[in-house]
Amino acid sequence: MSRRGLGIARCLVLLLLLTGVCMAQAPSPQTPLTPEPDRRGVEQTYLTYPEWFLVFSSAEYADFVRSQPPSRFPFIGHVRQFWRGYAAVDSAIRDKYPPNDEYHTMIRVIGVSTSIEYGLRRAYESLIGRLSEATTAYPATDEDQLAARAAQEYVDFIRLRPWYEFDFASRLRAVWTAPWWGKDPLRKWERKYALTTEFAAKALYGWVIRKATHAAYGEARDTTLAVIDHLPDGLETELPKLTPLAPPDERGVLVSLPRYEPFSHYASVLAQRQVRFVEIAGNRSLILVTALTPRGWAAPAEFGAPLFVEPVMTRPDRQRVALQVPVAALDQALRTLSQPPMVLEHVFDY
């Protein structure tokens, strides 16, 4: 090799070494911008579905009993849907993400307890409940109306807070302070017994679960940190709980968003403002989204194959579709799923 060629080779080697040093010092583009304490494993976006299905089930029940007696509600069908949903998410994450044994154990515990509760309610309502229904036109009694209100109040509460914090005791007192005489006394007394049993058992069970949960995990965080590509002007009034946590740079903006049910609303509003998500709780891969769509609706090809599709049993014209959406495409998915007649149900922000 000529002296000139040797000099060029040496320069190339030096350049490669310097480039390697700079690359080693620069953060990987895949390194999450979310601080470590606020990151959650990707598997949890899937594993939160069975918990939220119980919210969806309660909402379906609350809507149903406004006009129809509880004996006609498909309790056993909902038990089946719970376990099918859990099987689907377990299959999706098995061997792909680190095991999360504690979360699996929690899901199985609530699944078994819900299966027992729904089984007992189905048996009771099919026998005793149907007999008392024959004496009245539903929902004629104060107790039926109280039960329907309590069911809706429960749903509104658990969209924001854990179920075991709901005040079942005050609903139990309302059952006993309602008049003992009036139209259709047999139905009134039967409902007093049924509601007393239900509210008392849930109040006691909720107290036990609350103590155990706080002892094991402490108070749950009520925010989710996300990185978005930009922050549009004028969001302060529309999304008052959105808080920027760092100045914007070329990588995006780190923001704090409310967790649980409000996250879906905040994410949808941001999507309508053409904001793209970069990370959600440190996750840049997939996030689970459910929507209620007309029966037979098929997801666009860019969203991939649905994780599962389930009928809404009290609404023959509707189905629940679960989609595994790339975080970077979440804004596009939310804009699509927010178009009537579709209803965005939930974005699983862990």
Side-chain angles (χ1 to χ4, degrees), residues 3-48:
R3 185 172 298 179
R4 181 180 178 184
L6 183 60
I8 292 173
R10 287 175 177 172
C11 288
L12 288 173
V13 170
L14 179 61
L15 179 61
L16 288 172
L17 288 173
L18 290 174
T19 303
V21 170
C22 292
M23 291 178 65
Q25 293 176 344
S28 166
Q30 296 303 314
T31 301
L33 303 180
T34 304
E36 180 68 34
D38 294 282
R39 299 177 196 170
R40 305 183 190 114
V42 178
E43 76 282 355
Q44 285 192 256
T45 188
Y46 292 89
L47 291 175
T48 50

Side-chain angles (χ1 to χ4, degrees), residues 335-350:
R335 287 192 292 271
T336 298
L337 297 175
S338 297
Q339 297 175 3
M342 291 172 290
V343 177
L344 174 66
E345 186 176 47
H346 196 73
V347 180
F348 293 82
D349 73 313
Y350 311 72

Side-chain angles (χ1 to χ4, degrees), residues 13 15 23 30 57 61 131 139 145 155 193 197 210 219 222-223 227 238 283 306 336-337 345:
V13 170
L15 179 61
M23 291 178 65
Q30 296 303 314
S57 175
Y61 177 80
L131 288 174
Q145 296 170 28
V155 171
Y193 169 77
T197 304
R210 180 169 62 251
E219 293 287 345
D222 60 0
T223 58
V227 178
E238 194 170 6
N283 172 23
T336 298
L337 297 175
E345 186 176 47

Side-chain angles (χ1 to χ4, degrees), residues 109-121:
V109 168
I110 63 174
V112 169
S113 61
T114 300
S115 299
I116 294 172
E117 177 197 346
Y118 276 22
L120 292 174
R121 291 175 69 180

Side-chain angles (χ1 to χ4, degrees), residues 258-280:
R259 197 176 174 187
Y260 305 121
E261 182 73 13
F263 182 86
S264 297
H265 170 68
Y266 273 61
S268 183
V269 171
L270 289 170
Q272 298 303 324
R273 298 290 298 272
Q274 305 298 315
V275 172
R276 185 176 65 84
F277 285 88
V278 179
E279 291 178 15
I280 299 174

